[in-house]
Every structure is written in structure tokens, then in C-alpha cells.
Amino acid sequence: KQEVTQIPAALSVPEGENLVLNCSFTDSAIYNLQWFRQDPGKGLTSLLLIQSSQREQTSGRLNASLDKSSGRSTLYIAASQPGDSATYLCAVWGGGADGLTFGKGTHLIIQP
Amino acid sequence: DAGVIQSPRHEVTEMGQEVTLRCKPISGHDYLFWYRQTMMRGLELLIYFNNNVPIDDSGMPEDRFSAKMPNASFSTLKIQPSEPRDSAVYFCASSLVAGVDTQYFGPGTRLTVL
């Protein structure tokens, strides 16, 4: 069964810093990997989706990479801002009955 | 588009009562997913539909849970009878093609069973 792990579980950094969130998964047979953002009491917002054949995706200050063979992904946030404070979730789509498997998330706080 | 719509947003009920959660997916999306989020277990997939047909319900915790999708624009998740351990946030999501396209999530229903 697929397992997704996110490190660190929580992170607090000053505004302006560049940071990296990590995600690892146990089964490399995936179709895609998604990064989501969740604000307190709200639903999930998709940030980036990387297909299994791709190595990275970029959106504004966000860059996500995927190394399927090693079962790892990173989310890079450049020039962090207080508005980036949220929980970031990584999820992999394994297809069929597995559906989308989520990590527990990284709770990020950007200090003004 | 208004996005994925869920109702109610909050539900408080007593143990043993029937609970029905509702979801309207984004128009044109062929896939609909039901998830449950708890502090202990995180986000878990309960069931998903393709063109109104359930693909897999192995994530449904017990026979007390059932889900239906009578048409392309409406789905329900029912718990009968409800128990305190069912307290969680239940999310509905939809996508064009599973495994290829982004899943779009609704705001969730926060269920509290007393």
C-alpha cells in the first residue's frame, strides 16, 4: 500500500527566506504527484501537478520537482511571504483503487 | 464556474442519527471523490465515481457508510447510524480525468457526532 511522508511536519521561518518542503512515497508506480495548500478551516487548493513523465513544474514563486525512481518530491518556495502561511500537502495518484494518497502535510508559518 | 459545492458546511448530530452530506461537482467533470480528514489519520479517500459509477469503495470504513451519484451533478454520502468516531471533515472533489488532471476540492462539511 502506498505511503506518503512529509518532512518537516512544521516549519517557521522569517519572511523573505527561500524554503524547501519534502515529500517521499514508497511505491514509484504513480501517474502523477500534486501539491496542495490548505488554509485553516478551508478546503484544499491545488498548487502544482507533476505528471509521472515530468521532472518539475513551476508556478510563480513555486517550483516542484519529482524524482519518481527515488520516490521523492520537493516544493521550493522563493522569497516567502506571510500570506504563504498554510499547511502544504503532497499527494500521489497511483491509479485504480488506490486513488489519491496524501501525506500528513507540513504546517508552514512565515513570520512577518 | 462556482467550483465544487458541498452542503451543509457544518453538521452537529447525536449518535445514532442518520447524516447525509451533499456534493455538486464542477460541471463537465467525469470524476467525483469523497475524502475524510481527521487529525489522527489525515486525508483518506473513501470512494470515487467515474461517470456516476462507483469505481472503488474500499476506503469506506464500514457498512454504515454509503455513497450514491444519481446523476452527473449530484452525489451524497450517507452515514447511518452515525457514531462519535465519525466526527471529521468530509471533502468532495472532482476532476476531468483521474490520474491526469487536477482534483478540485469543495470547502468541506465539518461533522460532529455527539
Side-chain angles (χ1 to χ4, degrees), chain A residues 1 31-32 34 36 38 41-46 48-49 51 89 93 95-104, chain B residues 9 33 35 37 39-43 45 48 55-56 58 91 98-108 110:
Chain A
K1 182 182 177 183
Y31 286 85
N32 64 44
Q34 283 188 253
F36 292 87
Q38 186 174 27
K42 301 288 181 63
L44 279 69
T45 301
S46 180
L48 291 164
L49 182 149
Q51 302 294 349
L89 295 151
W93 178 266
D98 291 338
L100 200 59
T101 303
F102 281 85
K104 294 284 182 67
Chain B
R9 293 294 310 278
F33 308 83
Y35 294 89
Q37 186 176 38
M39 287 293 292
M40 288 294 295
R41 301 174 66 92
L43 264 164
L45 177 66
Y48 73 97
I55 299 302
D56 184 75
S58 59
F91 288 103
V100 175
D101 297 306
T102 298
Q103 289 191 23
Y104 295 88
F105 279 71
R110 181 173 295 277

Side-chain angles (χ1 to χ4, degrees), chain B residues 37-73:
Chain B
Q37 186 176 38
T38 61
M39 287 293 292
M40 288 294 295
R41 301 174 66 92
L43 264 164
E44 301 173 289
L45 177 66
L46 299 177
I47 185 172
Y48 73 97
F49 295 83
N50 178 23
N51 291 322
N52 313 337
V53 177
I55 299 302
D56 184 75
D57 63 356
S58 59
M60 298 283 262
E62 301 172 31
D63 291 343
R64 297 184 297 106
F65 286 68
S66 62
K68 293 182 180 180
M69 192 165 186
N71 57 63
S73 59

Side-chain angles (χ1 to χ4, degrees), chain B residues 1-41:
Chain B
D1 200 312
V4 176
I5 299 172
Q6 291 187 248
S7 65
R9 293 294 310 278
H10 302 273
E11 177 80 29
V12 180
T13 189
E14 293 190 347
M15 183 173 64
Q17 296 298 306
E18 178 179 294
V19 175
T20 299
L21 311 180
R22 297 172 177 79
C23 174
K24 176 180 169 54
I26 293 173
S27 177
H29 282 190
D30 291 332
Y31 286 81
L32 183 140
F33 308 83
W34 282 101
Y35 294 89
R36 178 172 68 175
Q37 186 176 38
T38 61
M39 287 293 292
M40 288 294 295
R41 301 174 66 92

